Amino acid sequence: QVQLVESGGGLVQAGGSLRVSCTASGRTFGTYTMGWFRQAPGKEREFVGCISNSGGHTTYADSVKGRFAISRDNAKNTLYLQMNSLKLEDTAVYYCAASLQFLVSRASSYYYWGQGTQVTVSS
């Protein structure tokens, strides 16, 4: 079993940057594709992006492509989401999740989820 804990959320002005992290328990972190999802008030949870277990492959939603970057440090059991050029519409609770499927974007394919961290972008 994997336990995931997000951190680093907060309030940032539009156009600014923020990095959120996700720390995993256990020794199997490096076997999972890791994904980031987000959920804004009144909206469904949506895929942001994911990274392969080795870190060699990433994929992103069109809405964040070119602005967000996912990375991981398997030695530290930590996943990162670097968010640049933030927009008001990026305001959401951000979740990390773990899947055994390769670079999958469906939320239903992720077995383990963190509790989420709030990111608020102000004008």
Side-chain angles (χ1 to χ4, degrees), residues 6-114:
E6 299 94 339
S7 61
L11 177 65
V12 61
Q13 286 192 326
S17 298
L18 192 68
R19 188 177 80 164
V20 295
S21 302
C22 170
T23 302
S25 65
R27 300 180 180 179
T28 60
F29 178 72
T31 66
Y32 292 95
T33 283
M34 295 299 298
W36 285 101
F37 292 78
R38 66 186 182 184
Q39 188 166 19
K43 295 188 177 181
E44 294 186 353
R45 189 170 299 189
E46 65 171 348
F47 173 75
V48 173
C50 63
I51 187 167
S52 61
N53 63 317
S54 68
H57 302 274
T58 54
T59 187
Y60 298 94
D62 288 343
S63 58
V64 306
K65 199 172 295 183
R67 300 188 298 122
F68 289 13
I70 298 173
S71 60
R72 67 191 296 164
D73 185 337
N74 286 347
K76 295 182 179 180
N77 278 14
T78 303
L79 172 74
Y80 303 100
L81 176 64
Q82 177 67 45
M83 301 180 285
N84 300 322
S85 302
L86 282 160
K87 304 176 180 179
L88 296 178
E89 53 263 41
D90 294 319
T91 295
V93 177
Y94 283 73
Y95 300 89
C96 64
S99 174
L100 288 173
Q101 297 185 44
F102 182 74
L103 288 182
V104 63
S105 62
R106 295 184 308 274
S108 60
S109 296
Y110 285 80
Y111 306 127
Y112 303 109
W113 292 81

